[in-house]
Amino acid sequence: MTYLLGVDTGGTYTDAVIIDEACDHVLASAKALTSRPDLAIGVGEAIDAAIAGAQVNGADIAMVSLSTTLATNALVEGQGGRIALVAIGFDDAELTRAGLTDALRGDPVIRLPGGHNHAGGEVVPLDLVALRNALQSLDAGITGFAVAASFATRNPAHEIAARDLIRGVVEKPVSCSHELSQALGGPKRALTAVLNARLIGMLDRLITACEDHLRTVGISARLMVVRGDGALVSADLAREKPIETILSGPAASIAGASWLTGETDALVSDIGGTTTDVCLLRDGRPKIDPKGALVGPFRTMVEAVAMRTTGLGGDSEVHVVEGLSGGLRLGPRRLMPISLAAQHHPDLIHGALDHALAQDVPASDGGQFIIPLWAVMPAGLDAREQTVADRLANGPLRFGHAVRSRMESPALGRLVGRGLVILAGVTPSDAAHVLGLVDAWDAQAAEKALTLFARRRTGAGTRIAQSGQVLAQQIVDQLTAQTVDCLLQAAFAEDDREWSDPEALVRHPLSVAGLDWHQGVVQVQMSLGVPVIGLGASAATYYGAVGDRLGTRMVLPEHGGVANAIGAVVGQVRMQATGAVTSAGEGSFAVHLPAGPKIFADRGEALDVLETALRSEAEGLVRASGVEDIRFSVTRDISEITVENRSMFIEATLRVEASGRPRIAHDG
């Protein structure tokens, strides 16, 4: 018998599923809490439970595939390691474009003269001595480097030289922009390299945790990782380019949704602990975003499914809206639910909540806690970060006990951003426990936390809710309302009619009246024209009301809570290689190769040379991921203009795609 193992690591849960390849049947699935900082614990528990449930031997598992939302969540929440950007040939204005300033978050930038022009010619030589001196002045907290040079897609020589020097001096991971995208647009490529560098350590820890446990249980099968466009890649390639795994969890969930339901046209909505991801399924396939993956505020150059990702999930932070009327808002930050925190630290959580409830005034810190996530005290902290960290050395604390002045709040934010601590507070998951919708963690702690939270006041001085039970229903209703907004925005954006502003349309009075099915002198009705497939562990808890509000059929498949893990093992390996031929003058054609531009006098020969090089590159990548039966497709986009009745060549972009299923065989 041949079995497939799919694993998905999300912000809250790690899922595992065993599929019998012969009959395309789910034998068993399992969930475990995602464990931080040691991801191996949650990965191991999920895999072990799935194998036990399926009653199979590890030696009979022929392929393992991993998808994850960790990279997506990190970008949405502003997390990841500290990095340094080496920017070659860019001016000040260019470094403020494409969201690069926000992505850097104050991390150091080493600016150097250099780079190339559109034709691949060197503008000025690269000053490697200046780079070496700058590297030696950086602090020890830098975890990786991003290197971006002007027109590196036309000639990557300066990026390669900088990369080799960095690796020789500091031995830290280096992400070069030309290795992540062959598209023009230096600032956007630099942004993509920055985000990639920030994610390398995180994804490496996850892959290592998975590989270590597979060996422990006797599984020798090849490990694959899902990319953001739904394709599978080898674990080694995913380690080098973790940015390509952004939206990999949602991409896997779409494949899983199609496999589970047989639906070909639907909106797929996947709710996790941190985000809600919405994508349109047409003719059984998701659309690829032609502009590059958009995650939170960042538009990258990574090919991924056209997914709308919103910071809304079961573990989203609950905020009180400022103003006289109050109201609630959820997200985008993820908290550890109080009910879950109380599972791990019952005496601390219950003791602190009981003490706060005994007071007459609402808790100034909202009843939040700070949970340290490090195994050993982190290095490279500034003075205020170290002060907060020292207070947490013996374990979690109430927010107000760990942060004692406004000056320390930014320091805490930086610790949260680096994934060193997590805040615990009231979330929709806690509300679901209070209402009896779920019973996974400590419902009593959730009841206490919501009772305390309900004492908070609106701008008019009234309590936001009369009890914890009332507040719990308000939170669930708010989750429903924000989920409806997410789906309606996606529907307007993907509709055949080009609506000008989907976000504004969702809030338009006519849209609200349509969803209310207003019946008066004017009758207004609005509903979705396709069903919604609800995925995620909590979809069954919340999504029934969402379907009712949108007037559409809500499909909640039996194994929808592990759709990501299912999708991880039903995909194919797909690799692309892209290159360009540009005009180097009349009758002269420049082929831009990794070794630098090469000039040809014949256009056809130039295009053939580039296609051969790209075919070889794509074939090597898919063979490295275990594909033997390879299919190729080639697209040529040739730009020409007509001048005085003569056709003049401008540029050609070639793209070669190699694809196939990975070999289902043991790796050892």
Coordinates of all heavy atoms in Angstrom, one line a residue, residues 588-654:
S588 N 21.2 43.8 -33.7 CA 21.9 43.2 -32.6 C 21.0 42.9 -31.5 O 20.1 43.7 -31.1 CB 23.0 44.3 -32.1 OG 23.8 43.7 -31.1
F589 N 21.1 41.7 -30.9 CA 20.2 41.2 -29.9 C 20.9 40.7 -28.7 O 21.8 39.8 -28.8 CB 19.3 40.1 -30.5 CG 18.6 40.5 -31.8 CD1 19.2 40.4 -33.0 CD2 17.4 41.1 -31.7 CE1 18.6 40.8 -34.2 CE2 16.7 41.5 -32.9 CZ 17.3 41.4 -34.1
A590 N 20.5 41.2 -27.5 CA 21.2 40.8 -26.3 C 20.4 39.8 -25.5 O 19.3 40.1 -25.2 CB 21.5 42.1 -25.4
V591 N 21.0 38.6 -25.3 CA 20.4 37.6 -24.4 C 20.9 37.8 -23.0 O 22.1 37.7 -22.8 CB 20.7 36.2 -25.0 CG1 20.1 35.1 -24.1 CG2 20.2 36.0 -26.4
H592 N 20.0 38.0 -22.1 CA 20.4 38.2 -20.7 C 20.5 36.9 -19.9 O 19.4 36.4 -19.5 CB 19.5 39.2 -20.0 CG 19.5 40.6 -20.7 ND1 20.5 41.5 -20.4 CD2 18.8 41.1 -21.7 CE1 20.3 42.6 -21.2 NE2 19.3 42.4 -22.0
L593 N 21.7 36.4 -19.7 CA 21.9 35.1 -19.1 C 22.5 35.4 -17.7 O 23.0 36.5 -17.4 CB 22.9 34.3 -20.0 CG 22.4 34.0 -21.4 CD1 23.5 33.4 -22.2 CD2 21.2 33.0 -21.3
P594 N 22.5 34.4 -16.8 CA 23.1 34.5 -15.5 C 24.6 35.0 -15.5 O 25.0 35.7 -14.6 CB 23.0 33.1 -14.9 CG 21.8 32.5 -15.5 CD 21.8 33.1 -17.0
A595 N 25.3 34.6 -16.5 CA 26.7 35.0 -16.6 C 26.9 36.4 -17.2 O 28.0 36.9 -17.3 CB 27.5 34.0 -17.4
G596 N 25.8 37.0 -17.6 CA 25.8 38.4 -18.2 C 25.3 38.4 -19.6 O 25.0 37.3 -20.2
P597 N 25.1 39.5 -20.2 CA 24.5 39.6 -21.6 C 25.4 39.0 -22.6 O 26.6 39.0 -22.5 CB 24.3 41.1 -21.8 CG 24.5 41.7 -20.4 CD 25.4 40.9 -19.6
K598 N 24.8 38.4 -23.6 CA 25.5 37.8 -24.8 C 24.8 38.3 -26.0 O 23.6 38.2 -26.2 CB 25.5 36.3 -24.7 CG 26.4 35.6 -25.7 CD 26.4 34.1 -25.5 CE 27.4 33.4 -26.4 NZ 27.5 31.9 -26.2
I599 N 25.6 38.8 -27.0 CA 25.1 39.5 -28.2 C 25.1 38.5 -29.4 O 26.0 37.8 -29.6 CB 26.0 40.7 -28.5 CG1 26.1 41.6 -27.3 CG2 25.4 41.5 -29.7 CD1 24.8 42.2 -26.8
F600 N 23.9 38.6 -30.1 CA 23.8 37.8 -31.3 C 23.3 38.7 -32.4 O 22.6 39.7 -32.2 CB 22.7 36.7 -31.1 CG 23.1 35.6 -30.1 CD1 22.9 35.8 -28.8 CD2 23.8 34.5 -30.6 CE1 23.3 34.8 -27.9 CE2 24.2 33.5 -29.7 CZ 23.9 33.7 -28.3
A601 N 23.6 38.3 -33.7 CA 23.2 39.1 -34.8 C 21.9 38.7 -35.4 O 21.3 39.4 -36.2 CB 24.3 39.0 -35.9
D602 N 21.4 37.5 -35.0 CA 20.2 36.9 -35.5 C 19.2 36.8 -34.4 O 19.4 36.2 -33.4 CB 20.5 35.5 -36.1 CG 19.2 34.9 -36.7 OD1 18.8 35.4 -37.8 OD2 18.6 34.0 -36.1
R603 N 18.0 37.4 -34.6 CA 17.0 37.4 -33.6 C 16.5 35.9 -33.2 O 16.4 35.6 -32.1 CB 15.8 38.2 -34.0 CG 14.7 38.4 -32.9 CD 13.5 39.1 -33.3 NE 12.5 38.3 -34.0 CZ 11.3 38.6 -34.3 NH1 10.9 39.9 -33.9 NH2 10.4 37.8 -34.9
G604 N 16.3 35.1 -34.3 CA 15.8 33.8 -34.0 C 16.9 33.0 -33.2 O 16.5 32.2 -32.3
E605 N 18.1 33.1 -33.5 CA 19.2 32.4 -32.8 C 19.2 32.9 -31.3 O 19.3 32.1 -30.4 CB 20.5 32.7 -33.4 CG 21.7 31.9 -32.7 CD 23.0 32.2 -33.3 OE1 23.1 33.1 -34.2 OE2 24.0 31.6 -32.9
A606 N 19.0 34.2 -31.1 CA 19.0 34.7 -29.7 C 17.9 34.1 -28.9 O 18.1 33.7 -27.8 CB 18.9 36.3 -29.8
L607 N 16.7 34.1 -29.5 CA 15.5 33.5 -28.8 C 15.7 32.0 -28.6 O 15.4 31.5 -27.5 CB 14.3 33.8 -29.7 CG 13.8 35.2 -29.8 CD1 12.7 35.3 -30.8 CD2 13.4 35.8 -28.4
D608 N 16.3 31.3 -29.5 CA 16.5 29.9 -29.3 C 17.6 29.6 -28.2 O 17.4 28.7 -27.4 CB 17.0 29.2 -30.6 CG 15.9 29.2 -31.7 OD1 14.7 29.3 -31.3 OD2 16.2 29.0 -32.9
V609 N 18.6 30.4 -28.2 CA 19.6 30.2 -27.1 C 19.0 30.5 -25.8 O 19.2 29.7 -24.8 CB 20.8 31.2 -27.4 CG1 21.7 31.3 -26.1 CG2 21.6 30.8 -28.6
L610 N 18.2 31.5 -25.6 CA 17.5 31.8 -24.4 C 16.6 30.7 -24.0 O 16.6 30.2 -22.8 CB 16.8 33.1 -24.4 CG 16.1 33.5 -23.1 CD1 17.0 33.7 -22.0 CD2 15.3 34.9 -23.3
E611 N 15.8 30.2 -24.9 CA 14.8 29.1 -24.6 C 15.6 27.9 -24.2 O 15.1 27.2 -23.2 CB 14.0 28.8 -25.8 CG 12.9 27.7 -25.5 CD 12.0 27.5 -26.7 OE1 11.7 28.4 -27.4 OE2 11.6 26.3 -26.8
T612 N 16.7 27.6 -24.8 CA 17.4 26.4 -24.4 C 18.0 26.5 -23.0 O 17.9 25.6 -22.2 CB 18.6 26.1 -25.4 OG1 18.1 25.9 -26.7 CG2 19.5 25.0 -24.9
A613 N 18.5 27.7 -22.6 CA 19.0 28.0 -21.3 C 17.9 27.9 -20.3 O 18.0 27.3 -19.2 CB 19.7 29.3 -21.2
L614 N 16.7 28.5 -20.6 CA 15.6 28.4 -19.7 C 15.0 27.0 -19.5 O 14.7 26.6 -18.4 CB 14.5 29.4 -20.1 CG 14.9 30.9 -20.2 CD1 13.7 31.7 -20.7 CD2 15.3 31.4 -18.8
R615 N 15.0 26.3 -20.6 CA 14.5 24.9 -20.5 C 15.4 24.1 -19.6 O 14.9 23.3 -18.8 CB 14.4 24.3 -21.9 CG 13.8 22.9 -21.9 CD 13.8 22.4 -23.4 NE 12.8 23.1 -24.2 CZ 11.5 22.6 -24.4 NH1 11.2 21.4 -23.9 NH2 10.7 23.2 -25.2
S616 N 16.7 24.3 -19.7 CA 17.6 23.5 -18.9 C 17.5 23.9 -17.4 O 17.5 23.0 -16.6 CB 19.0 23.8 -19.4 OG 20.0 23.2 -18.6
E617 N 17.3 25.2 -17.2 CA 17.1 25.7 -15.8 C 15.9 25.1 -15.2 O 15.9 24.6 -14.1 CB 17.1 27.2 -15.8 CG 16.9 27.8 -14.4 CD 16.7 29.3 -14.4 OE1 17.0 29.9 -15.4 OE2 16.3 29.8 -13.4
A618 N 14.7 25.1 -15.9 CA 13.5 24.6 -15.4 C 13.5 23.1 -15.2 O 13.0 22.6 -14.2 CB 12.3 25.0 -16.3
E619 N 14.1 22.4 -16.1 CA 14.2 21.0 -16.0 C 15.0 20.6 -14.8 O 14.7 19.7 -14.0 CB 14.8 20.4 -17.3 CG 15.0 18.9 -17.2 CD 15.6 18.3 -18.5 OE1 15.8 19.1 -19.4 OE2 15.7 17.1 -18.5
G620 N 16.1 21.3 -14.6 CA 17.0 21.0 -13.4 C 16.2 21.2 -12.1 O 16.4 20.4 -11.2
L621 N 15.4 22.2 -12.0 CA 14.6 22.5 -10.8 C 13.6 21.4 -10.5 O 13.4 20.9 -9.4 CB 14.0 23.8 -10.9 CG 14.9 25.0 -10.9 CD1 14.1 26.3 -11.2 CD2 15.6 25.2 -9.5
V622 N 12.8 20.9 -11.6 CA 11.8 19.9 -11.3 C 12.4 18.6 -11.0 O 11.9 17.8 -10.2 CB 10.8 19.8 -12.4 CG1 10.0 21.1 -12.5 CG2 11.4 19.5 -13.8
R623 N 13.6 18.3 -11.7 CA 14.2 17.0 -11.4 C 14.7 16.9 -10.0 O 14.7 15.9 -9.3 CB 15.4 16.7 -12.4 CG 14.9 16.4 -13.8 CD 15.9 15.7 -14.7 NE 15.5 15.5 -16.0 CZ 14.7 14.5 -16.4 NH1 14.3 13.6 -15.5 NH2 14.3 14.3 -17.6
A624 N 15.2 18.1 -9.5 CA 15.7 18.2 -8.1 C 14.5 17.9 -7.1 O 14.8 17.6 -6.0 CB 16.3 19.5 -7.8
S625 N 13.3 18.1 -7.6 CA 12.1 17.9 -6.7 C 11.5 16.5 -7.0 O 10.4 16.3 -6.5 CB 11.1 19.0 -7.0 OG 11.6 20.3 -6.5
G626 N 12.2 15.7 -7.7 CA 11.8 14.3 -7.8 C 10.9 14.0 -9.0 O 10.2 12.9 -9.1
V627 N 10.8 14.9 -10.0 CA 9.9 14.7 -11.2 C 10.7 14.0 -12.3 O 11.8 14.4 -12.6 CB 9.3 16.0 -11.7 CG1 8.5 15.7 -13.0 CG2 8.5 16.6 -10.6
E628 N 10.2 12.9 -12.8 CA 10.8 12.2 -13.9 C 10.1 12.4 -15.2 O 10.7 12.6 -16.3 CB 10.9 10.7 -13.6 CG 11.9 10.4 -12.4 CD 11.9 9.0 -12.1 OE1 11.1 8.2 -12.6 OE2 12.8 8.6 -11.3
D629 N 8.8 12.3 -15.2 CA 8.0 12.5 -16.4 C 7.6 14.0 -16.5 O 6.7 14.5 -15.9 CB 6.7 11.7 -16.3 CG 5.8 11.8 -17.6 OD1 6.3 12.3 -18.6 OD2 4.7 11.3 -17.6
I630 N 8.4 14.8 -17.3 CA 8.3 16.2 -17.3 C 7.5 16.7 -18.5 O 7.7 16.3 -19.6 CB 9.7 16.9 -17.3 CG1 10.5 16.4 -16.1 CG2 9.6 18.4 -17.3 CD1 12.0 16.8 -16.1
R631 N 6.6 17.7 -18.3 CA 5.9 18.4 -19.4 C 6.4 19.8 -19.4 O 6.6 20.5 -18.4 CB 4.4 18.4 -19.1 CG 3.8 17.0 -19.1 CD 2.3 17.1 -18.9 NE 1.9 17.8 -17.7 CZ 1.8 17.2 -16.5 NH1 2.2 15.9 -16.4 NH2 1.5 17.9 -15.5
F632 N 6.6 20.3 -20.6 CA 7.1 21.7 -20.8 C 6.1 22.5 -21.6 O 5.3 22.0 -22.4 CB 8.4 21.7 -21.7 CG 9.6 21.1 -21.0 CD1 10.0 19.8 -21.2 CD2 10.4 21.9 -20.2 CE1 11.1 19.2 -20.6 CE2 11.5 21.3 -19.5 CZ 11.9 20.0 -19.8
S633 N 6.0 23.8 -21.2 CA 5.3 24.8 -22.0 C 6.1 26.0 -22.1 O 6.8 26.4 -21.1 CB 3.9 25.1 -21.3 OG 4.1 25.7 -20.1
V634 N 6.0 26.7 -23.2 CA 6.9 27.8 -23.5 C 6.0 29.0 -24.0 O 5.1 28.8 -24.9 CB 8.0 27.5 -24.6 CG1 8.8 28.8 -24.8 CG2 8.8 26.3 -24.1
T635 N 6.2 30.1 -23.4 CA 5.5 31.3 -23.9 C 6.5 32.4 -24.3 O 7.5 32.6 -23.6 CB 4.5 31.9 -22.9 OG1 5.2 32.2 -21.7 CG2 3.4 30.9 -22.5
R636 N 6.2 33.0 -25.5 CA 7.1 34.1 -25.9 C 6.3 35.4 -26.1 O 5.3 35.4 -26.8 CB 7.8 33.7 -27.3 CG 8.7 32.6 -27.2 CD 9.4 32.4 -28.6 NE 10.5 31.4 -28.5 CZ 11.3 31.1 -29.5 NH1 11.3 31.9 -30.6 NH2 12.2 30.2 -29.4
D637 N 6.7 36.4 -25.4 CA 6.0 37.7 -25.5 C 7.0 38.7 -26.1 O 7.9 39.1 -25.5 CB 5.6 38.2 -24.0 CG 4.9 39.5 -24.1 OD1 4.5 39.9 -25.2 OD2 4.7 40.1 -23.0
I638 N 6.7 39.0 -27.4 CA 7.6 39.8 -28.2 C 7.0 41.1 -28.5 O 5.9 41.3 -28.9 CB 7.9 39.1 -29.6 CG1 8.6 37.7 -29.3 CG2 8.8 39.9 -30.4 CD1 8.8 36.9 -30.6
S639 N 7.8 42.2 -28.1 CA 7.4 43.6 -28.3 C 8.1 44.2 -29.5 O 9.3 44.1 -29.6 CB 7.7 44.4 -27.0 OG 7.0 43.9 -25.9
E640 N 7.3 44.7 -30.4 CA 7.8 45.3 -31.6 C 7.0 46.6 -31.9 O 5.9 46.7 -31.5 CB 7.7 44.3 -32.8 CG 8.6 43.1 -32.7 CD 8.4 42.2 -33.9 OE1 7.2 41.9 -34.3 OE2 9.4 41.7 -34.5
I641 N 7.6 47.5 -32.6 CA 6.9 48.7 -33.1 C 7.2 48.8 -34.6 O 8.2 48.3 -35.1 CB 7.4 49.9 -32.4 CG1 8.9 50.2 -32.5 CG2 7.0 49.9 -30.9 CD1 9.3 51.5 -32.0
T642 N 6.3 49.5 -35.3 CA 6.5 49.7 -36.7 C 6.9 51.2 -37.0 O 6.3 52.1 -36.5 CB 5.2 49.5 -37.5 OG1 4.8 48.1 -37.2 CG2 5.3 49.7 -39.0
V643 N 8.1 51.3 -37.6 CA 8.6 52.7 -37.9 C 8.8 52.7 -39.4 O 9.6 51.9 -40.0 CB 9.9 52.9 -37.2 CG1 10.5 54.3 -37.5 CG2 9.7 52.8 -35.7
E644 N 8.1 53.6 -40.1 CA 8.3 53.8 -41.6 C 8.1 52.5 -42.3 O 8.9 52.1 -43.1 CB 9.6 54.4 -41.9 CG 9.8 55.8 -41.4 CD 11.1 56.5 -41.7 OE1 12.0 55.7 -42.2 OE2 11.3 57.7 -41.5
N645 N 7.0 51.8 -41.9 CA 6.6 50.5 -42.5 C 7.6 49.4 -42.2 O 7.6 48.4 -42.9 CB 6.4 50.7 -44.0 CG 5.2 51.6 -44.3 OD1 4.2 51.5 -43.6 ND2 5.3 52.4 -45.3
R646 N 8.5 49.6 -41.3 CA 9.5 48.6 -40.9 C 9.2 48.1 -39.5 O 9.0 49.0 -38.6 CB 10.9 49.1 -41.0 CG 11.4 49.3 -42.5 CD 12.8 49.8 -42.5 NE 13.7 48.9 -41.8 CZ 14.9 49.2 -41.3 NH1 15.4 50.4 -41.4 NH2 15.6 48.2 -40.7
S647 N 9.3 46.8 -39.2 CA 9.1 46.3 -37.9 C 10.4 46.4 -37.1 O 11.4 45.9 -37.6 CB 8.6 44.8 -38.0 OG 8.4 44.3 -36.7
M648 N 10.3 47.0 -36.0 CA 11.5 47.2 -35.1 C 11.4 46.4 -33.8 O 10.4 46.6 -33.1 CB 11.8 48.6 -34.9 CG 13.0 48.9 -34.0 SD 13.3 50.7 -33.8 CE 13.7 51.2 -35.5
F649 N 12.3 45.5 -33.6 CA 12.3 44.7 -32.4 C 12.7 45.5 -31.1 O 13.7 46.3 -31.2 CB 13.3 43.5 -32.5 CG 13.5 42.7 -31.3 CD1 12.6 41.7 -31.0 CD2 14.5 42.9 -30.4 CE1 12.7 40.9 -29.9 CE2 14.7 42.1 -29.3 CZ 13.8 41.1 -29.0
I650 N 11.9 45.4 -30.0 CA 12.2 46.1 -28.8 C 12.7 45.2 -27.7 O 13.8 45.3 -27.2 CB 10.9 46.9 -28.3 CG1 10.4 47.8 -29.3 CG2 11.3 47.6 -27.0 CD1 11.4 48.9 -29.7
E651 N 11.9 44.1 -27.5 CA 12.2 43.2 -26.4 C 11.4 42.0 -26.5 O 10.3 42.0 -27.0 CB 12.0 43.9 -25.0 CG 12.3 43.1 -23.8 CD 12.1 43.9 -22.5 OE1 12.9 44.8 -22.3 OE2 11.2 43.5 -21.7
A652 N 11.9 40.9 -26.0 CA 11.1 39.6 -25.9 C 11.3 39.0 -24.5 O 12.5 39.0 -24.0 CB 11.6 38.6 -27.0
T653 N 10.2 38.6 -23.9 CA 10.3 37.9 -22.6 C 9.9 36.4 -22.9 O 8.8 36.2 -23.4 CB 9.4 38.5 -21.6 OG1 9.8 39.9 -21.4 CG2 9.5 37.8 -20.3
L654 N 10.7 35.5 -22.5 CA 10.4 34.1 -22.6 C 10.2 33.5 -21.2 O 10.9 33.8 -20.3 CB 11.6 33.3 -23.3 CG 11.5 33.3 -24.8 CD1 11.7 34.7 -25.5 CD2 12.6 32.3 -25.4

